[in-house]
Amino acid sequence: MSRGIPRIQDEPAFVVHRYDWSESSLILETFTRHFGRVALVAKGAKKPTSNFRPVLLPLQPLYVSYSGDAEIRTLKGAEWVGGHIMPTGEALLSGYYINELLLRLLARDDPHPSLFDLYRQVVQVLASGHEGTIAPALRAFELLLLRDIGFLPELNAQTLTLESLQPDALYVLVAEGGLRTHNAQDRTGLAGSVWLQLHDSLSTDAPFTATLRLCAEMPPEQRNALQGQLRALLHYHCGVKTLRTRQMMIDLQSL
């Protein structure tokens, strides 16, 4: 007797990208809690009468049901969970940015449940409409994303020598060397005391909240230095010089 086609019911998910598949259907890249990135075909989703049409939006929490065992499964149902409105303006672009990071850094069908919970928290912050929390939330997400996928070294010691950080000395985070002492060729560095605070915030029971708060309290020059180093590290692992959403932000700011 042949096995039945696998079917998943009411799986927590977000749509992180969508593109046309035919005149009436869409391919969705979804981020699910228990199964990671999953590609789904939403048949007939572009038709005006489709129940999928008003639901399959980015940055909105969903329950999805799907079936199939091929690389692209078939969407059977989608229900909006509710809880927040769609982010707008800078928050919306920031949401597209974190979606691009997921698409570039996560393999399909590789579960990351704690990262899913983190993503949901970040989306809630973006939807809150408080501009002052956007940048700190992005820095916290970048740090925790890098840690979850194994690309962030321990921030309480130099990576290659394992020497303890000196609070008043400057250190930089680089793609091929981890955390190391600042030298004359480095544009920016952060004091050892800052890296130690980040290490402690990432180690708490509520790392996103603690790290967001710490980044929000940083002086602008420290936050900018952290942003630059994280951006370089992410670009390295994404294999690009500039992310598409980052370039979009730059272009809009120049108008």
Side-chain angles (χ1 to χ4, degrees):
M1 185 173 65
S2 61
R3 294 187 306 165
I5 297 176
R7 185 180 179 100
I8 303 299
Q9 291 285 131
D10 299 328
E11 171 65 14
F14 286 87
V15 174
V16 296
H17 186 59
R18 45 185 270 177
Y19 53 93
D20 293 339
W21 183 58
S22 67
E23 290 186 2
S24 62
S25 301
L26 294 169
I27 296 292
L28 309 174
E29 289 284 357
T30 64
F31 185 35
T32 70
R33 190 177 193 280
H34 300 102
F35 304 96
R37 270 186 58 210
V38 177
L40 303 173
V41 56
K43 295 180 178 178
K46 295 165 62 178
K47 294 180 179 179
T49 57
S50 172
N51 293 330
F52 290 147
R53 190 180 177 92
V55 176
L56 300 178
L57 301 174
L59 307 175
Q60 294 294 296
L62 305 173
Y63 287 129
V64 298
S65 300
Y66 59 89
S67 65
D69 53 7
E71 182 179 2
I72 300 178
R73 284 78 157 184
T74 301
L75 182 68
K76 297 296 184 181
E79 177 186 353
W80 180 57
V81 176
H84 65 255
I85 61 174
M86 176 75 76
T88 59
E90 183 184 353
L92 179 60
L93 289 175
S94 297
Y96 289 151
Y97 165 69
I98 63 175
N99 283 352
E100 184 176 0
L101 291 180
L102 295 182
L103 287 170
R104 290 184 179 275
L105 293 173
L106 300 186
R108 283 182 179 165
D109 303 310
D110 184 15
H112 292 267
S114 60
L115 184 58
F116 180 90
D117 295 340
L118 166 66
Y119 177 91
R120 180 162 47 193
Q121 287 180 283
V122 176
V123 170
Q124 289 173 343
V125 171
L126 296 179
S128 69
H130 300 301
E131 290 187 7
T133 62
I134 293 176
L138 292 180
R139 302 294 83 75
F141 179 79
E142 291 165 347
L143 284 162
L144 287 161
L145 168 64
L146 287 164
R147 187 182 70 169
D148 190 90
I149 59 180
F151 291 154
L152 185 73
E154 292 294 328
L155 301 181
N156 62 346
Q158 296 187 56
T159 303
L160 297 181
T161 66
L162 300 181
E163 293 181 18
S164 299
L165 303 189
Q166 300 301 312
D168 296 330
L170 293 179
Y171 300 90
V172 292
L173 183 62
V174 294
E176 296 182 344
L179 195 60
R180 62 164 173 77
T181 55
H182 179 273
N183 60 45
Q185 286 72 44
D186 297 320
R187 296 178 59 185
T188 58
L190 279 172
S193 58
V194 177
W195 291 116
L196 291 170
Q197 287 177 311
L198 285 167
H199 175 269
D200 291 342
S201 70
L202 293 171
S203 304
T204 64
D205 293 334
F208 173 67
T209 301
T211 307
L212 185 154
R213 183 180 298 114
L214 176 60
C215 291
E217 294 172 350
M218 284 183 182
E221 62 273 13
Q222 287 185 358
R223 193 186 306 162
N224 290 340
L226 177 63
Q227 178 180 353
Q229 292 176 59
L230 291 177
R231 182 182 299 160
L233 186 58
L234 287 163
H235 287 175
Y236 175 86
H237 289 296
C238 289
V240 297
K241 291 185 178 179
T242 303
L243 293 166
R244 292 177 183 176
T245 45
R246 172 63 184 164
Q247 187 60 53
M248 186 187 305
M249 292 180 189
I250 295 172
D251 293 342
L252 289 173
Q253 289 171 356
S254 65
L255 294 178

